[in-house]
Amino acid sequence: MERKPKINEFQVNCETGNYHTFCPISCVAWLYQKIEDSFFLVIGTKTCGYFLQNALGVMIFAEPRYAMAELEEGDISAQLNDYEELKRLSIKIKTDRNPSIFVWIGTCTTEIIKMDLEGIAPRLELEIGVPIVVARANGLDYAFTQGEDTVLAAMAHRCPNLPKLEERGVVLFGSISEQSTKHLSLELEKQGVKVIGWLPAKNYAELPNLGPNTYICGVNPYLSRTATTLMRRRKCKLIAAPFPIGPDGTKAWIQKICKVFDIQPKNLDEREKMVWQTLKPYLDIVKGKSVVLMGDNLLELSLARFLIKCGMTVYEIGLPYLDPRYQNEELNLLYKTCIEMNVRLPHIIEKPDNYNQIERIQDLQPDLVITGMAQANPLEAQGITTKWSVEFTFSQIHGFMHAKDVLELVTRPMRRKLLLHETYTKKIDQTNNVPKLFVV
Amino acid sequence: MKLAYWMYLGPAHIGTLRVTCSFRNVHAIMHAPLGDDYFNVMRSMLERKREFTPVTTSVVDRHVLARGSQQKVIHNITRKGKEETPDLVILTPTCTSSILQEDLQNFVEQASFDSKMDILLADVNHYRVNELQAADKTLLQIVQFYLSQTRIQSSIIKKTLNPSVNIIGALNLSFHVQHDIAELKRLLADLNIEVNLIIPEGASVNDLQRLPQAWCNIVPYREVGLQTAQYLEKQFEMPFVTTTPIGTVGTAAFIREIGQILQSLEAPFFNYESYIQRQTRFISQATWFSHSIDCQNLTGKQAVVFGDATHAAALTKILALEMGIHVLFAGTFCRNESDWFYEEVRDFCDEVVISDDHNLIGDLIAKLEPSAIFGTQMERHVGKRLNIPCAVISTPVHIQNFPLSYRPFLGYEGANQIMDLIYNSFTLGMEDHLLELFSGHDTKSIGSKSLTDSEIWSLDAQAELSKIPGFVRGKIKRKTEKFAQEAGIRTITVEVMYAAREAVMS
């Protein structure tokens, strides 16, 4: 069955899915820091552990609140009892670290050997007295940031029921830094929209109350499972909106939420305009430049839309997975932005094939390729400027406040090229840049 | 199940990929889920490779779980054959494919029908072997494949005219390997020995048939290449050298061993002994440096060593034998090398530790409080926490351990490098004295900050403690506290400090 976004003008193709991305278990990296009283136990093999150790670099030396439950041959061949093994490890962690909540991350291996984590967790939870949430963030089904989606979807079941009949406001979902959550909450509250809470919250006990008719809205483009769970299981009402990335996205996001609450947003256009003005130096660099997003973290649609608005031409948007319903408003805004900026609609490629993409990149010779680290150095060696895509996941990019940070990242490789080029070609007789000499 | 935060050795497939990527024009196809191709990132970032890493994944997803890989793997192999025309494709199983138990050998055979290139299934079991063992095994597998394929034509067994050797076991993502190979080549050139082949780094699989033409084989690193050398000995009667040429003593032993082999094969006369003497005494600086008066300060200094078997054993010997440093423990995470390792270091350290538990090693270091640590990146972080200097001597390593400048560990230049590394890890001699004489650099800033937490220190004793040089102050504080605790003393006075000092010294 062919899935098409609502705007059928977009050319959406699906390739082989042979692309480089992070394993979704990488979500523990930012989630354990976000949820301060949690402990993440990744139940998998040496392969998973090796990935985490290498991908997270220095973080592992700071006594992280995550660990591997490394499966050995006895676990695979069911000579050991899963329940007893998990109990042993969980009790040890409880004694050492005393978390308020365990998050068990199921991996490819637990999936294949059909370890019944969802069955074991409630029993063990009763026995050890610590809530256990199970998320299947495995590479068989998901890519990179979708790991967060599986964790938040599982956590949505743990949000307490709304005690009162109705509280008028919105629950936001998506794990972003404390600073960014405050910033976005404040922007909404300025318009008179009450932010009831966030999923996830800083602490397990602070998870927001949910009930039928609670309005919810996502801040990240990769949270479709969480949205679905909140709608179907908790009967919440989803406010479909573009994502608050870039000043254009942030404005549209606020507008859409205000509309639901029948609020006429105040000073929003001026606010956006002011942000664009502060971006001016960056816009001068990116204007007219072309970019290809190879795709690995599902932020691609929102980033491309913002970059087009900045005056760039986007040739191709690769992305691991396109949920045309959850991303519908983002697609609409992308379409509108292309018309407004008078550029051709970018080619959207779901499950891209890196080999084909590199052939296309070699033909197109774009000014910038946003890609993973596996391809970045080889592309640079071919003279193609690259930006390492994972940085967008690990940086603050949401809201008016961080629009600048996005462009800081996007322009950095271009500025660096310019800098190195200038240094090499600088003429000795240039007088305006001569340093002052002090002999004291 | 094992609770783990950190591991010294990667999974088996990493070893296989390190071997395949080291060869020229060999492509690996991993049978793995999305995201398991993290090896490409490591190779591209740590080694800063300019070319794309020749590893593709045949993705295992839900469909593969439900229906098996069917044509998918075969299609991916043949596709890669057309796109990149490699000489050899290695199908690499992972932990995931290990439990799926698909008949990957069958895919290899089917793909072989309509491909010109060679195709092999890496014969490694994720749950039985680690990264280094898998690398060793895969290298053997490839060598065996190409040497059996030729069916022993007499032409290939003909030895080279001049004495020559193969260097076996140089891999991508190894510790300082590029520099080591350059240094080894230089050493061999000095000895009038030709290098026949270096495998796998930079070699073509089509060259492998020339392996038996060498007079003997060199395995510089114990962990990878030994099986291949043993196979070549059995099959082609090729002797091999496994002595690691690290340190002046190690290098001399290495040269003597090669010399003996070549002489027994009636090589033209070369005075190995005079070469060793000249290098050790006059050309290399390492031996002279350690005899120079500046190094007297290192007398009785204590160190611990931990790393892979090759590097940890070599460093232990250098520290004890060449630098006169007291090695409290020498350890390795290569469990399968424990017997060899014990024999190598037994005369040069107090204790031998075989473990892959980083917590245990960390605790041991904290307990022993050496003046310097020689270990992996993990021990470097332990050192940081305990304020003990650490030099990195073995994988696992970070990007800063892939230096751009020439930094061999092997041979005579390697000995110089290691000497610098060791010397710089300890506090410099003069500085050491001056600190003791003038009570440290930073007497002002301490006092309140570091001492208020322990109420058992009297004011006098606190003042006395502040006079002790910063880099040993923590150690003396802890030892004194321990002494007081054991003696049931509530308040530490200056007298107690002196008593503790005497007790510890005696």
Side-chain angles (χ1 to χ4, degrees):
Chain A
M1 197 177 74
E2 204 182 28
R3 284 182 319 186
K4 284 223 164 152
K6 200 167 154 194
I7 297 151
N8 47 19
E9 281 93 343
F10 278 111
Q11 192 191 343
V12 181
N13 283 50
C14 188
E15 286 191 325
T16 61
N18 212 320
Y19 63 101
H20 167 74
T21 183
F22 272 20
C23 173
I25 60 171
S26 53
C27 67
V28 304
W30 62 89
L31 288 175
Y32 92 74
Q33 301 199 28
K34 174 75 195 181
I35 310 165
E36 290 173 4
D37 53 355
S38 62
F39 193 98
F40 285 74
L41 187 66
V42 181
I43 303 153
T45 61
K46 245 187 180 6
T47 307
C48 312
Y50 197 63
F51 162 70
L52 281 179
Q53 168 175 328
N54 283 294
L56 308 189
V58 286
M59 269 192 255
I60 55 158
F61 298 109
E63 294 249 320
R65 289 187 317 281
Y66 79 79
M68 288 291 309
E70 193 187 313
L71 300 169
E72 294 169 297
E73 202 163 9
D75 298 302
I76 305 302
S77 53
Q79 284 164 329
L80 297 166
N81 182 304
D82 299 337
Y83 182 83
E84 291 303 326
E85 290 295 296
L86 284 165
K87 182 177 159 187
R88 182 170 60 83
L89 300 191
S90 301
I91 288 174
K92 175 153 181 20
I93 297 166
K94 194 193 166 191
T95 323
D96 292 349
R97 313 300 285 271
N98 193 27
S100 311
I101 179 173
F102 272 113
V103 182
W104 286 357
I105 304 285
T107 61
C108 303
T109 310
T110 56
E111 221 41 49
I112 295 170
I113 63 173
K114 304 209 173 350
M115 191 182 283
D116 183 20
L117 295 177
E118 279 93 345
I120 296 172
R123 277 169 61 204
L124 197 59
E125 181 171 328
L126 279 178
E127 203 166 338
I128 64 170
V130 180
I132 301 170
V133 165
V134 179
R136 301 178 175 202
N138 62 69
L140 295 167
D141 301 306
Y142 306 108
F144 196 10
T145 48
Q146 287 180 292
E148 175 182 321
D149 195 18
T150 62
V151 173
L152 297 192
M155 216 163 262
H157 295 280
R158 300 292 174 138
C159 293
N161 281 317
L162 195 63
K164 286 176 288 174
L165 251 178
E166 206 164 309
E167 191 178 8
R168 215 174 141 73
V170 63
V171 169
L172 300 173
F173 57 95
S175 167
I176 52 177
S177 76
E178 274 312 291
Q179 193 195 33
S180 295
T181 55
K182 281 208 186 89
H183 169 62
L184 289 182
S185 301
L186 209 68
E187 289 293 340
L188 287 179
E189 270 152 28
K190 253 195 250 169
Q191 302 296 348
V193 178
K194 187 162 190 275
V195 177
I196 299 169
W198 283 79
L199 173 68
K202 232 168 82 176
N203 293 301
Y204 177 61
E206 289 170 26
L207 280 179
N209 295 329
L210 295 176
N213 305 324
T214 302
Y215 282 106
I216 51 162
C217 189
V219 299
N220 276 325
Y222 42 78
L223 298 174
S224 52
R225 264 180 86 87
T226 309
T228 313
T229 309
L230 289 168
M231 285 190 295
R232 296 207 182 136
R233 307 295 296 273
R234 306 303 303 264
K235 308 290 176 216
C236 300
K237 283 185 186 159
L238 178 71
I239 303 175
F243 300 99
I245 293 167
D248 50 337
T250 309
K251 183 179 92 172
W253 182 74
I254 295 172
Q255 268 175 338
K256 201 66 205 291
I257 296 171
C258 285
K259 202 176 153 199
V260 171
F261 293 102
D262 270 335
I263 294 169
Q264 188 62 44
K266 289 183 291 284
N267 299 327
L268 204 53
D269 292 327
E270 291 81 347
R271 181 104 167 89
E272 190 205 2
K273 212 180 271 171
M274 263 174 58
V275 177
W276 281 112
Q277 263 160 18
T278 63
L279 300 180
K280 180 92 181 20
Y282 297 103
L283 298 181
D284 291 342
I285 301 173
V286 298
K287 205 163 274 168
K289 299 270 167 45
S290 55
V291 57
V292 166
L293 296 98
M294 284 184 75
D296 67 349
N297 59 14
L298 282 99
L299 293 170
E300 292 87 2
L301 277 185
S302 310
L303 282 177
R305 177 259 304 149
F306 172 42
L307 294 181
I308 291 170
K309 186 86 179 180
C310 291
M312 294 185 91
T313 312
V314 177
Y315 291 143
E316 174 170 329
I317 307 174
L319 78 173
Y321 169 68
L322 176 61
D323 183 341
R325 279 172 306 172
Y326 182 63
Q327 294 243 37
N328 187 33
E329 289 300 306
E330 188 60 87
L331 276 167
N332 278 326
L333 186 59
L334 175 66
Y335 182 78
K336 253 172 43 197
T337 307
C338 289
I339 302 292
E340 187 193 317
M341 301 303 290
N342 196 23
V343 292
R344 284 175 60 178
L345 293 181
H347 191 175
I348 297 177
I349 293 180
E350 197 183 2
K351 288 174 173 287
D353 184 294
N354 279 170
Y355 185 86
N356 299 345
Q357 283 185 307
I358 284 160
E359 291 207 316
R360 290 196 290 268
I361 286 167
Q362 281 160 347
D363 286 345
L364 291 164
Q365 293 287 320
D367 296 306
L368 183 71
V369 174
I370 297 180
T371 183
M373 282 185 290
Q375 284 98 18
N377 267 338
L379 282 172
E380 289 281 351
Q382 294 182 4
I384 289 165
T385 309
T386 59
K387 180 70 225 145
W388 165 38
S389 57
V390 178
E391 275 199 89
F392 293 101
T393 322
F394 291 125
S395 305
Q396 306 206 52
I397 57 169
H398 291 82
F400 290 126
M401 190 162 69
H402 296 300
K404 202 175 138 201
D405 300 60
V406 179
L407 288 183
E408 181 75 27
L409 287 176
V410 170
T411 59
R412 191 175 295 158
M414 300 176 187
R415 285 181 286 131
R416 177 142 194 85
K417 280 245 153 115
L418 218 60
L419 210 64
L420 292 177
H421 182 70
E422 273 176 2
T423 314
Y424 285 130
T425 57
K426 197 183 249 172
K427 290 199 182 89
I428 296 165
D429 60 359
Q430 250 179 353
T431 45
N432 52 345
N433 248 342
V434 173
K436 275 183 197 158
L437 174 69
F438 292 95
V439 180
V440 188
Chain B
M1 278 179 212
K2 206 168 86 182
L3 195 63
Y5 297 89
W6 210 74
M7 54 185 79
Y8 287 104
L9 284 167
H13 71 265
I14 298 286
T16 297
L17 296 180
R18 280 174 62 189
V19 169
T20 59
C21 290
S22 301
F23 277 112
R24 258 187 295 135
N25 212 25
V26 172
H27 200 99
I29 297 197
M30 288 169 72
H31 190 238
L34 200 65
D36 271 3
D37 59 350
Y38 194 73
F39 176 79
N40 298 33
V41 174
M42 289 178 60
R43 189 167 173 276
S44 167
M45 295 305 282
L46 295 177
E47 294 237 34
R48 305 177 194 93
K49 291 285 183 192
R50 294 173 197 224
E51 78 275 16
F52 290 100
T53 298
V55 175
T56 321
T57 312
S58 178
V59 180
V60 174
D61 55 18
R62 273 291 153 193
H63 297 289
V64 171
L65 282 199
R67 308 175 306 147
S69 288
Q70 295 188 352
Q71 293 296 308
K72 196 172 184 177
V73 176
I74 300 165
H75 170 76
N76 281 323
I77 295 174
T78 45
R79 178 186 160 187
K80 213 25 83 179
K82 283 183 198 128
E83 283 168 358
E84 317 249 349
T85 56
D87 298 322
L88 168 69
V89 166
I90 302 247
L91 183 57
T92 310
T94 57
C95 58
T96 307
S97 59
S98 274
I99 33 178
L100 282 179
Q101 298 192 324
E102 284 201 72
D103 190 358
L104 296 179
Q105 186 59 47
N106 177 35
F107 295 153
V108 166
E109 274 150 29
Q110 281 192 53
S112 298
F113 287 137
D114 39 25
S115 302
K116 266 196 250 155
M117 67 214 171
D118 299 314
I119 308 166
L120 273 177
L121 170 66
D123 180 21
V124 290
N125 182 329
H126 175 91
Y127 295 95
R128 299 274 166 88
V129 294
N130 64 40
E131 173 182 355
L132 292 172
Q133 291 168 302
D136 199 22
K137 184 80 192 287
T138 305
L139 184 59
L140 169 70
Q141 200 189 347
I142 295 173
V143 167
Q144 260 179 328
F145 178 74
Y146 280 96
L147 285 179
S148 61
Q149 222 186 20
T150 60
R151 293 188 191 90
I152 323 290
Q153 295 158 9
S154 55
S155 63
I156 62 157
I157 313 181
K158 219 164 130 193
K159 297 288 170 197
T160 56
L161 206 59
N162 298 319
S164 67
V165 293
N166 297 316
I167 301 172
I168 300 175
L171 296 189
N172 273 189
L173 291 168
S174 295
F175 189 68
H176 293 232
V177 72
Q178 305 287 356
H179 314 288
D180 279 356
I181 293 306
E183 185 60 21
L184 208 47
K185 277 158 109 177
R186 220 168 73 166
L187 178 69
L188 292 165
D190 277 358
L191 301 171
N192 283 338
I193 300 169
E194 286 172 9
V195 175
N196 183 53
L197 265 185
I198 300 171
I199 60 165
E201 185 70 57
S204 157
V205 285
N206 299 319
D207 293 337
L208 292 176
Q209 299 178 1
R210 291 201 289 111
L211 276 174
Q213 292 176 357
W215 292 36
C216 78
N217 291 315
I218 294 174
V219 184
Y221 312 106
R222 173 134 203 110
E223 291 80 5
V224 180
L226 200 54
Q227 285 196 54
T228 306
Q230 283 161 347
Y231 163 77
L232 291 170
E233 184 187 45
K234 205 173 136 215
Q235 213 68 17
F236 302 98
E237 291 168 5
M238 296 177 78
F240 62 89
V241 178
T242 53
T243 302
T244 313
I246 299 187
T248 44
V249 176
T251 307
F254 168 81
I255 294 171
R256 286 193 185 105
E257 218 178 312
I258 291 193
Q260 269 168 15
I261 288 172
L262 292 183
Q263 268 156 18
S264 73
L265 295 171
E266 287 164 16
F269 177 76
F270 182 91
N271 194 337
Y272 295 101
E273 210 49 48
S274 85
Y275 176 79
I276 293 169
Q277 292 299 324
R278 199 160 44 94
Q279 283 288 341
T280 312
R281 282 163 183 259
F282 305 110
I283 301 190
S284 153
Q285 298 296 308
T287 316
W288 159 239
F289 178 65
S290 129
H291 283 83
S292 71
I293 50 166
D294 202 31
C295 280
Q296 286 178 8
N297 274 63
L298 298 180
T299 317
K301 285 260 156 97
Q302 297 179 326
V304 299
V305 184
F306 192 76
D308 64 27
T310 302
H311 288 89
L315 252 293
T316 304
K317 284 195 270 187
I318 292 176
L319 286 167
L321 212 58
E322 300 182 30
M323 295 287 270
I325 285 162
H326 182 182
V327 180
L328 297 168
F329 79 80
T332 182
F333 49 79
C334 297
R335 288 175 169 279
N336 53 315
E337 299 287 358
S338 58
D339 292 348
W340 176 84
F341 187 78
Y342 183 77
E343 284 305 315
E344 284 290 300
V345 302
R346 56 181 296 173
D347 298 330
F348 306 106
C349 57
D350 299 353
E351 279 170 355
V352 180
V353 182
I354 312 289
S355 172
D356 51 12
D357 180 351
H358 72 273
N359 278 322
L360 195 140
I361 301 301
D363 289 348
L364 209 51
I365 294 172
K367 202 183 89 194
L368 293 170
E369 299 194 80
S371 327
I373 308 167
F374 300 90
T376 71
Q377 276 293 338
M378 191 66 201
E379 283 68 49
R380 193 175 70 84
H381 282 270
V382 172
K384 247 193 205 162
R385 235 182 291 162
L386 298 172
N387 204 14
I388 301 171
C390 176
V392 176
I393 55 134
S394 157
T395 50
V397 288
H398 289 169
I399 195 156
Q400 67 261 43
N401 302 109
F402 289 87
L404 305 180
S405 55
Y406 188 53
R407 297 273 177 79
F409 261 54
L410 298 191
Y412 288 108
E413 178 54 25
N416 288 340
Q417 295 281 345
I418 294 172
M419 221 30 91
D420 279 341
L421 190 74
I422 294 173
Y423 184 72
N424 295 340
S425 302
F426 292 98
T427 316
L428 302 182
M430 229 14 209
E431 191 186 3
D432 203 341
H433 279 303
L434 290 173
L435 284 170
E436 209 163 331
L437 210 56
F438 297 110
S439 311
H441 290 304
D442 52 352
T443 42
K444 253 173 113 182
S445 61
I446 51 126
S448 59
K449 205 179 171 194
S450 60
L451 297 175
T452 40
D453 52 321
S454 54
E455 289 169 2
I456 55 166
W457 287 78
S458 76
L459 282 176
D460 285 358
Q462 285 190 28
E464 187 65 21
L465 189 62
S466 72
K467 286 185 197 156
I468 293 162
F471 61 97
V472 284
R473 193 182 299 134
K475 188 171 172 172
I476 293 190
K477 184 171 173 246
R478 278 190 293 278
K479 291 220 160 138
T480 313
E481 280 169 2
K482 198 175 156 211
F483 171 81
Q485 200 188 354
E486 278 167 7
I489 296 167
R490 287 242 177 122
T491 313
I492 297 175
T493 60
V494 180
E495 260 171 86
V496 175
M497 278 178 80
Y498 290 160
R501 191 188 154 124
E502 269 170 48
V504 173
M505 297 290 250
S506 60

